[in-house]
Amino acid sequence: MSLILGIESSCDECSASVVRYHPAVQTPLRPSNVEVLSVATFSQVAIHRPYGGVVPEIASRNHLESINPMIDQAFKEAGVGPHDLDAIAVTNRPGLVGALLVGVSAAKALSYAFKKPLVAVHHLEGHASSLFLDQSAEAADLPLPLLLAIVSGGHTNLYVMKTPPELWPPDFLKRSLVGRSRDDAAGEAFDKTAKILGFPYPGGVWIDKIGKNGNPKTFDLPRALPQKSVFDFSFSGLKTAVSLTAEKLKKMGTLQENLPDLCASIQEAIVDALLRKIFLAARANQCRSLAVVGGVAANSRLRFRLENEWKSQGFEVPPFFPKMSYCTDNAAMIAAAGAFRFRQGHFLRESEMLTLNAIANPEI
Ligand code: KG4
Ligand code: ZN
């Protein structure tokens, strides 16, 4: 068993978490071996809302103010202290560099003061690890290979996972990648189109909510990259189409009454694109199971359609999603990724830890 503190500050969530990891290399995957003892998160969403998006400088300043209270709260809720830890894990890439530096500095200070190994975590490895957080014992085993879709505000990536996380090679994000967005991420497509329609940031949840009362077939919006052999995405054309449609409706004075239908149509275009490429990539790689993680995994239409369509696509078990609270950015997923890396011996010891830096745009 290992006790790990995770720290996440790559964008607009400032989060600390303590998890207990029960090592077990399992094939098929049994997503139940990381026990979350605490998660303390301060979301800056309301602070950035007036600007219509995250302002990097404001994010760093707010992380500075909330990082220590979040770490204290995570220890308190878990009923442990820094002396009890086996390791400290922190997101050091990719993200807003000023925001990342706050978490990295806090982790380095704790690690140095309490002589604990330090694990540098790639944010996407954190999202991938959210699959293993606190799942009930009934969670279905996931036969490998697993098609993993990371669908967030910054990324839309498809991976084929052939091993359990304890055996993920250090470069698995590069090696297992089979598809990605060539421009905007799916979450970004939700947020940018929502902004065009006048919804507050982040708009994904508004499109989801308002679209529930609309007809997804009303507006014919583009689905890019129709080729069957391509597993990449492109969402920038959708933004332009929504902008033109909204403009036209505004001129006719009917935008407000059309909002539910327009939201439903936008959502359907994004979900259609996601499902199409997920299914194509899964079939081409003989995937036996499917998991979706990241903020957009919270989307109700995406969940509904996957839950209805997985069988016809040849998957052996239902699609797997992390708990809602682990879909958006949180430190528990970083602690889980850190636990797997720590177990593999990938950590910085006392003599090396002060060299750890934040990387805004790593190669992978
Ligand atoms: O994973 P995440 O918290 O942050 C990144 O790492 O980017 O994802 C945030 C994204 C935002 O774009 C947000 O609009 C989207 O997830 N999102 C949703 C929903 N809830 C969050 N998009 C569509 N439907 C939702 N219900
Ligand atoms: Zn994220």
Side-chain angles (χ1 to χ4, degrees):
M1 256 174 11
S2 324
L3 201 65
I4 313 282
L5 170 73
I7 297 176
E8 156 65 33
S9 69
S10 66
C11 189
D12 57 350
E13 316 288 340
C14 187
S15 183
S17 164
V18 178
V19 304
R20 189 180 284 133
Y21 169 52
H22 305 266
V25 177
Q26 296 155 330
T27 322
L29 289 184
R30 189 159 308 141
S32 58
N33 56 349
V34 184
E35 190 188 344
V36 180
L37 303 186
S38 64
V39 196
T41 303
F42 177 75
S43 173
Q44 301 179 4
V45 163
I47 295 170
H48 297 283
R49 191 163 286 142
Y51 308 97
V54 178
V55 182
E57 187 58 26
I58 296 178
S60 329
R61 282 166 195 266
N62 277 279
H63 280 304
L64 264 182
E65 280 172 27
S66 44
I67 192 88
N68 285 338
M70 289 306 109
I71 293 171
D72 287 347
Q73 195 181 324
F75 279 135
K76 203 167 153 204
E77 270 176 32
V80 300
H83 286 292
D84 303 314
L85 296 173
D86 292 293
I88 296 168
V90 62
T91 309
N92 81 318
R93 64 198 194 283
L96 305 170
V97 76
L100 284 167
L101 270 173
V102 176
V104 167
S105 307
K108 273 157 95 169
L110 271 175
S111 161
Y112 189 75
F114 294 94
K115 298 192 176 0
K116 300 292 175 184
L118 182 63
V119 191
V121 174
H122 192 297
H123 184 75
L124 290 188
E125 215 171 304
H127 275 299
S129 304
S130 67
L131 290 179
F132 304 93
L133 294 173
D134 242 4
Q135 296 295 342
S136 65
E138 304 88 62
D141 289 347
L142 301 175
L144 297 166
L146 162 79
L147 196 284
L148 172 69
I150 301 186
V151 197
S152 70
H155 296 87
T156 307
N157 292 357
L158 302 181
Y159 300 92
V160 175
M161 315 301 288
K162 294 185 176 160
T163 60
E166 293 83 352
L167 303 177
W168 287 345
D171 61 347
F172 88 89
L173 287 173
K174 192 173 179 179
R175 262 210 251 171
S176 326
L177 185 73
V178 295
R180 64 183 170 85
S181 178
R182 295 184 182 177
D183 40 55
D184 294 346
E188 215 175 343
F190 271 111
D191 295 343
K192 286 181 176 171
T193 51
K195 194 173 177 181
I196 294 169
L197 303 183
F199 293 115
Y201 171 84
V205 69
W206 285 98
I207 302 255
D208 190 344
K209 198 167 148 184
I210 306 296
K212 280 198 171 75
N213 304 315
N215 177 356
K217 295 203 172 102
T218 312
F219 295 96
D220 188 18
L221 297 168
R223 276 78 165 152
L225 303 176
Q227 306 91 310
K228 283 193 173 158
S229 55
V230 175
F231 311 139
D232 285 352
F233 306 88
S234 167
F235 293 108
S236 59
L238 176 66
K239 203 172 46 191
T240 313
V242 171
S243 174
L244 293 172
T245 308
E247 207 52 41
K248 209 157 69 187
L249 293 172
K250 239 185 243 168
K251 268 190 198 140
M252 297 191 304
T254 56
L255 180 61
Q256 281 309 313
E257 67 198 67
N258 274 294
L259 276 182
D261 288 342
L262 190 49
C263 286
S265 302
I266 293 169
Q267 179 164 261
E268 203 68 0
I270 298 173
V271 171
D272 265 350
L274 290 173
L275 257 59
R276 183 175 160 75
K277 298 301 182 178
I278 284 174
F279 292 156
L280 281 171
R283 220 171 302 142
N285 292 283
Q286 287 98 38
C287 291
R288 299 167 62 200
S289 57
L290 164 67
V292 187
V293 303
V296 178
N299 182 264
S300 63
R301 184 72 182 157
L302 179 68
R303 286 182 176 237
F304 174 83
R305 286 201 44 194
L306 280 176
E307 271 152 16
N308 279 283
E309 295 173 34
W310 65 273
K311 257 191 205 155
S312 65
Q313 297 299 322
F315 293 113
E316 294 169 29
V317 292
F320 192 82
F321 303 93
K323 284 185 181 169
M324 283 291 198
S325 56
Y326 300 139
C327 285
T328 45
D329 289 350
N330 65 85
M333 68 186 196
I334 303 303
F340 303 141
R341 285 281 165 240
F342 177 59
R343 189 82 191 154
Q344 293 181 353
H346 296 143
F347 54 81
L348 300 169
R349 290 181 182 80
E350 235 177 302
S351 56
E352 329 157 293
M353 72 179 58
L354 293 178
T355 62
L356 181 67
N357 215 340
I359 310 170
N361 291 305
E363 200 194 311
I364 48 162

